[in-house]
Amino acid sequence: MIDVARCLAWGSSACRVCYLRCPLRDEAILLDEGRPTIVASVCDGCGICAQACRAVNDLGAIQIIEMR
């Protein structure tokens, strides 16, 4: 899940770190006009995107949530 209020790309930055680090890029994370969106049905929950986000954004805009 991406918290768009915390996401740099959804704000005023051109950040794409989570997208670039995702091993399922263009499948689990897509860019929509430069803003990342997660396709939950494809995401395997590895957490690499969340770690990458925290490396550049102290707020950490991505949370891994278990789907039921």
Side-chain angles (χ1 to χ4, degrees):
M1 174 182 115
I2 297 177
D3 182 340
V4 296
R6 293 181 171 195
C7 178
L8 299 175
W10 280 85
S12 60
S13 179
C15 185
R16 298 183 342 167
V17 172
C18 62
Y19 170 77
L20 294 173
R21 293 294 311 273
C22 179
L24 298 173
R25 183 182 327 138
D26 291 325
E27 295 174 44
I29 292 186
L30 307 173
L31 287 182
D32 180 16
E33 296 184 18
R35 298 175 302 220
T37 57
I38 296 176
V39 180
S41 62
V42 179
C43 177
D44 65 6
C46 72
I48 292 172
C49 61
Q51 292 171 358
C53 178
R54 279 190 220 94
V56 297
N57 182 350
D58 292 337
L59 298 175
I62 299 176
Q63 289 183 334
I64 305 300
I65 298 173
E66 183 179 342
M67 300 293 289
R68 294 179 183 198

